[in-house]
Amino acid sequence: DVKVTQSSRYLVKRTGEKVFLECVQDMDHENMFWYRQDPGLGLRLIYFSYDVKMKEKGDIPEGYSVSREKKERFSLILESASTNQTSMYLCASSSDRVAIFEQFFGPGTRLTVL
Amino acid sequence: DAKTTQPTSMDCAEGRAANLPCNHSTISGNEYVYWYRQIHSQGPQYIIHGLKNNETNEMASLIITEDRKSSTLILPHATLRDTAVYYCIVRVAIAGGTSYGKLTFGQGTILTVHP
C-alpha cells in the first residue's frame, strides 16, 4: 500500500513563527501536492511538485513556500505564520502524469496559529 | 470541468450494499469519473475511477450509464468503517495545460452506515 506520512498530526504555533510541515511518501511517486482544507471552503491546492526540485504554485500560494530536495519528501514552509493559516494541511502524492488524479493522502496536520 | 451533483446524505444498514449516485450531465468525452471518500478527521482516500466501462476493485464498483451522464458507486457490503463523506469528481485524467492535478471536492454525500 502507498504510504504518505506527515510529520505531525497536531501543531500549535505562535504568530510570526516559521513553520515546517514535512511529508514523505514511500512509493516513488513523481507528483506531490500540498492542500489545505477548511470548513465551507473545501480542499484548496497550495503548491505541487512533479519532480525533484520542481515546484508549481497552486491556487493559494501566498504566505507559503515549498521544498523538494528528494523525490520522497515534500516540505511546506509557512514563512511567518498568521492566524488565518490555522487549518488542516493535507499532503498527497500520485505516481505520474497519467495517474495524476489518483492521489494518495496523508493523515493531515491540524495547525493552530495563536 | 464538468459539474457533479450528489445527494447530501444517505443511510445504509451494515452488511447491505450502499449505492451512491452522482449526476454529471455536462461530462465531456475525455473526462473520467473519480470517487474519493473522507472519514472524519482523516485525509481523503482514493476509491476508484472510470471512463465509460464499469470498473471494480477491492473497495468498490463503479457503474457508469451508457450516456455517461450519471454514475453509481457501489460498496457491496457496507461496514461501520465505511461511514464517511463520499466525493464524485469529473476530470480529464492526464495532466496537461491548465489541468495540473488539482482536486476539488464539492459537498459530497455523507454516508452513514448503521448497525
Side-chain angles (χ1 to χ4, degrees), chain A residues 18-34:
Chain A
K18 192 168 186 176
V19 182
F20 294 86
L21 302 181
E22 303 285 337
C23 175
V24 177
Q25 51 93 3
D26 66 357
M27 285 301 292
D28 201 36
H29 281 180
E30 292 180 5
N31 308 307
M32 296 189 75
F33 306 83
W34 274 108

Side-chain angles (χ1 to χ4, degrees), chain B residues 79-97:
Chain B
T79 71
L80 299 179
R81 288 176 295 178
D82 292 322
T83 292
V85 183
Y86 286 77
Y87 299 100
C88 168
I89 304 153
V90 175
R91 296 301 296 258
V92 176
I94 299 176

